[in-house]
Amino acid sequence: MARVFRTVSPEFWMQQIFDVKSARTGGVVRRKLRDVERNVGLARLQAEVERRGYHAVLNGEQIIIFCNNEPVRLLC
């Protein structure tokens, strides 16, 4: 069975990332790299994360966005 993807504008897709409760309360959001690349592009997401003063990390195929401006430290 073929998968059918709904298409939304890049602006709307980006807005949805930062409108979830965990983002609004300073938590984290996670997205698959392939979804980011398909919907808005990695450079555009990086620019928005930086504009907001947030941090993001890439691990494997997952992008984790820390929706606050606290420093990020790798523990090990």
Side-chain angles (χ1 to χ4, degrees), residues 31-47:
R31 294 292 183 271
K32 290 182 179 181
L33 177 61
R34 70 171 184 194
D35 292 341
V36 170
E37 290 174 335
R38 182 178 57 231
N39 289 290
V40 295
L42 185 56
R44 187 169 179 181
L45 177 66
Q46 286 176 285

